[in-house]
Each structure stands twice: as C-alpha cells, then as structure tokens.
Amino acid sequence: KLKVISSSQHPTETQHLVAEAVGLPFHQVVCEVKRMGGAFGGKESQAAPFSAMAALAAHKLKKPARIILSKDDDMKVTGKRHPFKNFYEVGFDNEGRILSLKVNLYAVGGAYTDLSPSILDRAMFHTDGAYFLENALIEAWVCKTNSHSNTAFRGFGGPQGTLTIESIIEEMALYLKKDASEIRVLNCYGKSDRNVTPYGQVVENNLLPELFANLLKSSDYLSRRKEIDQFNQVTKGQVRGLAITACKFGISFTARFLNQGNAMVNIHRDGTVQVSTGATEMGQGVNVKIQQVVAQAFGLRMDQVEVMTTSTEKNANTSPTAASSGSDINCSAALLACEKIIFRLKQVAKFYFSGMILKTIEEFEIDPHFKEGSEPIVFRNNEAKFKDQSISWFDLIQKAYLNRVSISDYAHFKTTGLAFDRATAHGKAFKYFTAGTAVSEVLLDTYTGETKILRCDLLMDLGRPMHYGIDMGQVTGGFIQGVGWLTTEKLYYNDKGSLISHSPTTYKIPNIQDMPREFKVDLLENDLNTGNVHKSKAVGEPPLLLGASVFLAIKNALSYRTKNKNVELSAPATPEVILMELNRS
C-alpha cells in the first residue's frame, strides 16, 4: 500500500497514475493534497510523473521517498502555456459589423500530447470572444515540437482565442478609421438577438452591453481618447495608447464527464462540522468558500466548520480543481450534503417544537416524504427557529444523535444542462459565461521601448459573489497575470529546444513597477445566475483574458507612430519587441 502526498490539482489522476506505475490496484494507493503554494493549471497533469517517481522508489525500497524539483529544473522540464500562431480572414461592412470570419489556430504542443487537444477546444470555443459571428469557420491544429510538452495554464486556451478576435477588431478599426470601442459595441453579443455562439449555444443572462456601456462611461474613455490624440501630436519621445477589451469565458469542463464532484459532511456531537471534498486549495480561496457555504447552510459561524485535507480515500473519482469550476462543483456538492442532513434535522426540530419529548424508548423515525409547509424552519445564529420557538444548535444535535438520526452525509454533484455534440460541434458546451470589460492606458518610451501602465479600469459580472474579498483578489491577480503573459514573460530556447530563460534573472514576471498607476476594479450587480450555487459566477480564469487590453493599448500607441498602419505586434510585447516596431515605422 502507498500513501502519496503531492502538490497536485488532480489527486485522483495522481492516485491512478502512481498505482499504474508501481503495479498496484487503485484501492491500495491514497493521494493526499495539502494546501499548495500556487498552481495556475501547471499542477493539473504535471505533478503526477514526479509522484510516480517517488512512489516507485518507495515501493521498491520499502522506505519513504521524496522528490522536490529546484525552481530552475521545474521551469526547464514542466509545461508552459501553449504558444499560438493564428491566421485569419475577416469580412465586414463599412460600419464595422463583422459579416464573416475564418480563423486557423496553430498551437505548439511540445513533445507529448498532454492536455493540448482540450486546450485547443477551449481556444476554438473562445475565438468569438464577446462578439457575435454570423458566419464563422474556426479550425485548429496542435504542432509537435522538440520542446517540453505544453500544458494547462490559467485560461486553458481561452486567452489565445480571445486575443485573436480582439486583435482583429483593433485592426478593423484602423482600416475603417474608427475608434475600436465603436466596433466592439457594434459587434457585442445581444440580449434577444445576435446572441448565439458559432457552436450554437445561446448566451443567456447576457450583461455584456451593460458592461461596455458602464465602463466606457466610468472610465471616461471618450474624453481620454481626445486627450491622448492631442498628447501624441505634440509630444516627442513618448506615445500613449488606449484600448477597451472584453471577455466572455465559458464555465464548465469541455469534457462533460469531468463536471462532477462529491462531498462528505460530518457534524460532531459538540456541533462542530468537518467537510471533505475533492477540491484542492492553491491560494485561490476555494476552502474558504466551501467553509462559508456549509456555515451558512447550518446557520453557524465559519470557525465552527473545518475543511479537511483533500484525500482520495474520502473523496474518490473527483475531477481536477481547474476550469474555474472548483468552487462551483465542490461548493454545490457540499451544499447538497448539508441539505440532506438539514432535511433530517428539521424533522427532529419540528418534533421537538410540537411539544413531544424525544425518548429512547419511543424512537423518532425520519419521514422520507416530510414537507415543511408554508413556514419553514430556519437555521441561523446557532439556532433552529420556527415561528416564535427556537432550539440551540448544540441541543438539536444532541437530540438527533440520541435518537440515532444521522448527522453525517455524502453527496454527489453533476453540472446539469450540458449538451454539446462533438460530432456536429454544436450544443451547450458551458453552464454559463463569466463576462467582463477592461480599459487600459499605457505610455511608451520611444527611445527604449519601455511600457508604463498608467491606468486600468475593470468591470466584471460575477453574479452575486460568494466572497467579495476573495473574488476581488482573483480579478486583480488574474488580470495582472494576463498582463505579464502579454508584456514581459518571454520564453527563450536554444536550437535543441531547451529552455534557457528558466530563472527569475532571465524570466520576468510582473513586479510593483509593472502595476497600473491607477487601478480601478468594480463588479456589476447581477442576481440572474440562478443555475449556480448562491447565484455566484466563477472567477478564476476570466479576468486573465482582460490583460489583452494592455497589449492592445500598446498596439494602439504604436499605431500613432505608424500613421494608422497596422502593426503586427507579437506577444509578449517586451521593450525589445516594441522598439523593433518603432524602428520599422
């Protein structure tokens, strides 16, 4: 038997691959995942091989074994976000309305398949971005190369697809001599018409028109555009740019069978609660959200609920904590388990409120057809209340236990309503969409190519946020990570395919100097997303896509120096890349 402690987003996959590597059946391997220090998709599949290496040594030697990669080795051998090279043909009218679009996507997969096909799927699903495409042909290929296999990274192909359509619109605006914001608003998905994706899914509860209108107003976009026009006409050595972009990110795994999870909730005799799910905590706050959902269900304080270490012996056959769905799936499973317990506790409470005394000689029996009636029993502030009567949570748990009423339960959750047919590439691929808009302004130094981000305004629809602080952290962090991807994080390889930018000295992530001088983030109020737990929307990946606004603001700034000629700007737009484009103008 083996116990594996791994830094993995997918304990079940790690369990299974370790078992296969050492020749054991699955039930003789347990994978446990404690809190990770970050993951962002890179630990969905990449953690399993190193777990298998350690497990093989432990199994053969009958001794504990451990493997830890240095940061340099980690960066050299593990996967990165897939580089894409995309080609397009677009047809549009004089107003800027897109009439037809053909896109070919080419992704660098590396030496092994890894998750490349699924990432390619999501890139294709997100090539429409926030915009209605009446006629579209989207094709994609994965290219095998002599480098490490590329893998999941926050956004999972969505950023590469969305950046394509946003770049197309920017180039259309230059051709038509219009502001790109006009083109975006014109082509934005509608509410009652022009609201069907190229793969046939209706964009329901669509707030993209409001997101555009509200942000254009709150960011003072039009007056700033005039100010930038004047600045760029008279200023030497510097040039400013401005762009607004949007995201519409589909929430669900594109592989339908992964949209499931389970939870186990145990109430102890002192009234405290333990909850176990398949979710893995990597700093994104999923454990806090699960803790909050369970506490609210029982009317308890959050410190009365403990989220347990993730382990395959408690929660088997779970999906990875990925695709922005970790909170959706696992909070929903935990809530279902709570509701099964509450169903029994309400009957105990109602029996108590009726004046009956629960005695061991006349044992209380659960009625599987129990209905509360018009006045429900409410669990709040460590009490169960019915009309003007109440019983403390502690006393209720004692009465349930003494009468052999179960105060533990397990629940399985699956995301409903998914109906995508891969054979016809048509159907409902996602449960819902998380949308947002961003306006970014940059200042370029034309002598050095240095970029300063002057201001960023973000507005997102996260439904009714489960935890405002966590969600705001995800929005700001995801956005800056997207900015890093598109402006500073350049990978360099030698002629043998080996990564040579594998340390903080050669690979530049954003630091404090790369932050916007003004950073304004707001959430649009929306109670319409009734299909998800507590009317919330997923937040993990969508804000990263809004980093495109900084990239396209750079492209916009360069267009002032090229006299409105299109700039074929490659990402990331490092100072070197910007300087080369300036020298061409």
Side-chain angles (χ1 to χ4, degrees):
K1 296 180 180 180
L2 279 172
K3 180 178 181 179
V4 181
I5 299 174
S6 177
S7 185
S8 170
Q9 292 175 244
H10 200 346
T12 294
E13 181 181 71
T14 299
Q15 173 203 13
H16 293 178
L17 290 180
V18 165
E20 291 167 354
V22 301
L24 290 174
F26 292 167
H27 77 292
Q28 291 189 4
V29 178
V30 173
C31 179
E32 186 177 285
V33 176
K34 300 178 185 294
R35 181 186 178 100
M36 289 176 280
F40 302 112
K43 295 179 181 177
E44 181 176 342
S45 63
Q46 303 280 299
F50 303 106
S51 297
M53 293 173 195
L56 188 60
H59 186 63
K60 291 294 184 183
L61 300 175
K62 307 303 179 186
K63 294 181 179 179
R66 179 171 67 173
I67 181 170
I68 300 174
L69 298 181
S70 70
K71 179 49 63 182
D72 286 60
D73 286 343
D74 189 356
M75 288 190 69
K76 286 178 186 177
V77 302
T78 60
K80 312 292 180 290
R81 185 187 296 280
H82 287 64
F84 273 62
K85 188 164 187 177
N86 303 336
F87 300 87
Y88 76 89
E89 295 177 48
V90 61
F92 51 92
D93 61 23
N94 290 333
E95 296 300 312
R97 191 182 297 273
I98 297 173
L99 304 177
S100 61
L101 178 67
K102 178 182 178 181
V103 177
N104 293 333
L105 310 173
Y106 294 88
V108 176
Y112 306 102
T113 303
D114 203 278
L115 293 167
S116 295
S118 296
I119 287 163
L120 211 63
D121 280 351
R122 191 168 284 268
M124 296 172 73
F125 280 129
H126 288 76
T127 297
D128 61 329
Y131 312 103
F132 175 70
L133 303 176
E134 187 172 359
N135 302 288
L137 175 61
I138 302 167
E139 299 177 305
W141 294 263
V142 178
C143 304
K144 185 177 181 180
T145 63
N146 67 330
S147 62
H148 53 73
S149 67
N150 288 310
T151 191
F153 200 129
R154 193 175 191 174
F156 205 78
Q160 295 95 319
T162 297
L163 183 60
T164 301
I165 187 65
E166 294 290 356
S167 297
I168 289 169
I169 289 177
E170 204 72 24
E171 292 169 14
M172 287 169 53
L174 284 174
Y175 180 86
L176 293 169
K177 296 181 173 54
K178 290 177 175 285
D179 191 278
S181 66
E182 296 180 37
I183 311 296
R184 289 184 166 90
V185 170
L186 181 66
N187 287 285
C188 174
Y189 273 109
K191 290 181 172 293
S192 58
D193 63 347
R194 295 174 58 85
N195 63 345
V196 181
T197 67
Y199 46 92
Q201 179 168 348
V202 176
V203 183
E204 299 171 322
N205 300 328
N206 177 25
L207 296 186
L208 279 163
E210 288 92 335
L211 288 165
F212 270 113
N214 290 3
L215 190 63
L216 284 168
K217 182 178 179 180
S218 65
S219 67
D220 206 16
Y221 180 93
L222 294 178
S223 63
R224 287 167 63 194
R225 171 63 74 195
K226 292 177 183 178
E227 181 187 335
I228 288 170
D229 289 341
Q230 295 171 356
F231 176 89
N232 289 338
Q233 288 175 8
V234 300
T235 305
K236 302 292 184 182
Q238 292 180 322
V239 61
R240 285 158 63 184
L242 184 69
I244 182 170
T245 64
C247 71
K248 175 188 64 59
F249 195 87
I251 306 300
S252 295
F253 288 96
T254 52
R256 185 169 60 177
F257 69 89
L258 290 175
N259 294 288
Q260 60 176 307
N262 55 68
M264 182 169 64
V265 175
N266 293 323
I267 302 176
H268 294 277
R269 290 186 63 188
D270 65 351
T272 59
V273 183
Q274 290 176 331
V275 54
S276 302
T277 75
T280 58
E281 175 61 57
M282 60 198 90
Q284 85 281 32
V286 67
N287 280 1
V288 174
K289 289 188 174 182
I290 294 168
Q291 182 186 32
Q292 179 176 283
V293 165
V294 172
Q296 288 179 356
F298 293 136
L300 306 177
R301 301 186 312 274
M302 287 182 65
D303 64 358
Q304 294 172 272
V305 178
E306 184 73 16
V307 179
M308 307 307 291
T309 297
T310 308
S311 174
T312 57
E313 67 180 334
K314 291 178 290 186
N315 300 94
N317 305 315
T318 56
S319 298
T321 305
S324 299
S325 64
S327 293
D328 287 14
I329 289 174
N330 293 284
C331 286
S332 296
L335 184 57
L336 285 176
C338 292
E339 288 173 346
K340 291 166 77 173
I341 299 170
I342 288 169
F343 176 77
R344 297 191 291 271
L345 290 179
K346 283 186 174 182
Q347 293 189 55
V348 175
K350 197 150 190 180
F351 193 79
Y352 170 79
F353 293 143
S354 69
M356 303 294 291
I357 299 174
L358 295 171
K359 297 179 181 178
T360 55
I361 57 172
E362 293 182 5
E363 194 166 74
F364 173 75
E365 295 291 341
I366 292 296
D367 178 4
H369 306 294
F370 169 76
K371 293 183 180 179
E372 289 186 77
S374 58
E375 296 190 60
I377 296 170
V378 177
F379 291 85
R380 186 182 301 141
N381 298 328
N382 272 268
E383 290 183 324
K385 298 183 178 181
F386 178 68
K387 298 182 180 178
D388 58 348
Q389 297 176 286
S390 67
I391 182 173
S392 74
W393 172 255
F394 176 82
D395 288 342
L396 179 60
I397 296 304
Q398 304 311 305
K399 294 185 183 300
Y401 171 76
L402 292 173
N403 281 266
R404 297 192 294 181
V405 173
S406 173
I407 49 176
S408 297
D409 222 317
Y410 166 94
H412 177 268
F413 172 81
K414 68 175 183 179
T415 307
T416 58
L418 303 177
F420 182 75
D421 184 348
R422 297 188 66 84
T424 61
H426 188 273
K428 188 173 182 179
F430 304 106
K431 178 69 173 179
Y432 62 90
F433 297 97
T434 294
T437 48
V439 170
S440 292
E441 181 180 350
V442 300
L443 176 69
L444 307 185
D445 186 315
T446 59
Y447 299 117
T448 66
E450 179 189 10
T451 299
K452 288 184 179 179
I453 305 175
L454 300 181
R455 178 176 166 181
C456 293
D457 296 70
L458 276 60
L459 180 62
M460 293 204 70
D461 166 24
L462 300 183
R464 189 168 67 186
M466 269 197 285
H467 193 293
Y468 184 82
I470 287 174
D471 287 355
M472 288 293 281
Q474 288 289 288
V475 171
T476 53
F479 175 77
I480 294 301
Q481 193 170 41
V483 171
W485 165 55
L486 292 171
T487 61
T488 66
E489 299 183 40
K490 178 72 173 175
L491 295 168
Y492 294 92
Y493 296 86
N494 63 22
D495 57 2
K496 295 181 180 179
S498 296
L499 182 69
I500 57 177
S501 55
H502 52 71
S503 74
T505 59
T506 53
Y507 183 80
K508 187 184 183 313
I509 63 173
N511 60 23
I512 193 64
Q513 288 88 354
D514 300 305
M515 297 301 104
R517 276 55 180 173
E518 289 186 71
F519 200 5
K520 302 180 179 181
V521 181
D522 203 0
L523 304 180
L524 195 67
E525 290 187 14
N526 176 17
D527 284 340
L528 300 177
N529 191 40
T530 56
N532 197 36
V533 59
H534 290 185
K535 299 186 178 180
S536 64
K537 284 192 174 186
V539 65
E541 294 169 290
L544 187 141
L545 280 62
L546 296 176
S549 62
V550 172
F551 179 79
L552 292 176
I554 293 171
K555 190 168 185 174
N556 175 251
L558 291 172
S559 71
Y560 283 97
R561 292 294 178 259
T562 60
K563 298 180 180 178
N564 288 334
K565 292 181 181 177
N566 181 43
V567 177
E568 293 186 1
L569 187 64
S570 61
T574 62
E576 295 89 344
V577 169
I578 291 169
L579 203 56
M580 291 291 286
E581 291 299 332
L582 285 166
N583 289 335
R584 289 193 187 101
S585 61

